[in-house]
Amino acid sequence: MKEIASIFKTFFAYLIRPQLYPELFRKIYKNIFQRQAAFKGKDNAEEWCRSLAISQDDAIKNVLNFKDYQSINSLYPEIMKQASETEKSCPIKMGGAGALDLIYYLNEYTSAKNSLETGVAYGWSSLAALLSLQKRNGTLYSSDMPYLAQNGDKYVGCVVAEHLRPNWKLFRFADKESLPKIFAEQNEFDFMHYDSDKSYNGRMWAYPILWEKLRKGGILMSDDVSDNAAFMDYCVKNNLKPHIVGFDDKYAAFVIK
Ligand SMILES: C[S@@+](CC[C@H](N)C(=O)[O-])C[C@H]1O[C@@H](n2cnc3c(N)ncnc32)[C@H](O)[C@@H]1O
């Protein structure tokens, strides 16, 4: 009964937001015809990640070559403390933070001026990227849908500090609508972080589109790459050499173009 109420609540939340109608139709189609696709190849992907994984510390020190790096918590203690307090006081529950030091140092490594991310939630990954980008007066382009069931539109990105917001453009649509709008403003990126629709088909739609817009020497990162085989299949098919990073019992990955 509770589940049916939640489905109706989400459906109603879509109905009052016409900008999300295309995503509503895609969700209905997915739920009818592609229910199994989310976890396609999960066992193989987990095994693949396990066999290749290094730690976040190892990735930053030895792949990116920041041998004496400091975590963003020690570089920006006040901003990070304020962000934690904002998350604690947020009345709605959203997706948690990923490998924040890695995101910061991937932006540093690429000397990023233009970065793109899909999936914002509280805005932890946005905050990490912006702390680096602001040093070069760069821009972060983010795509995220409003939090529908909890009516939490205004809290998406809430942990991003006020002084970083001039360097941030948040597109509040599903990726399939956001990405063309972002590409109309900026055609080439130094760093991209995929952390939104984690289904097999969602990833397989996004990876080639993102890769095409990445400059040579730029970096594509993806979260939760062991959820299904999409990232593995994409890398194998295109002969890419990814770095897999074990973090919080999950795996993120990045590839240098
Ligand atoms: C795991 S959270 C992102 C966490 C964030 N990157 C971080 O590390 O702090 C995933 C987000 O993706 C968004 N999302 C899911 N499907 C999406 C889609 N098709 N288009 C845009 N955003 C989507 C959700 O609304 C959610 O905020």
Side-chain angles (χ1 to χ4, degrees), residues 23 27 30 95 116-121 125 142-145 147 171 173-176 178-179 193-200 202-203 205-207 210 221-224 227-228:
E23 183 67 8
K27 280 251 151 54
K30 224 183 332 188
L116 183 157
E117 70 173 354
T118 70
V120 174
S125 53
S142 303
S143 163
D144 203 317
M145 303 197 300
Y147 262 66
F171 291 72
F173 306 88
D175 293 340
K176 284 199 170 143
S178 290
L179 292 183
H193 178 205
Y194 186 77
D195 194 17
S196 49
D197 176 359
K198 313 272 178 72
S199 68
Y200 187 94
R203 291 175 192 266
W205 173 81
Y207 291 149
L210 297 178
M221 174 178 174
S222 184
D223 269 36
D224 302 320
D227 284 2
N228 53 50

Side-chain angles (χ1 to χ4, degrees), residues 54-87:
I54 56 174
S55 67
Q56 178 174 212
D57 187 61
D58 200 2
I60 297 170
K61 278 188 181 147
N62 300 323
V63 180
L64 305 180
N65 218 15
F66 292 101
K67 298 285 183 207
D68 302 313
Y69 83 94
Q70 283 181 275
S71 74
I72 55 173
N73 274 320
S74 35
L75 289 172
Y76 304 100
E78 281 312 312
I79 295 173
M80 298 306 285
K81 187 167 158 245
Q82 180 60 50
S84 289
E85 280 161 17
T86 305
E87 181 189 329

Side-chain angles (χ1 to χ4, degrees), residues 25-43:
F25 293 123
R26 287 192 291 266
K27 280 251 151 54
I28 292 171
Y29 180 88
K30 224 183 332 188
N31 278 312
I32 298 173
F33 298 110
Q34 298 175 338
R35 286 192 82 82
Q36 302 308 319
F39 303 109
K40 184 176 165 188
K42 184 175 169 57
D43 290 347

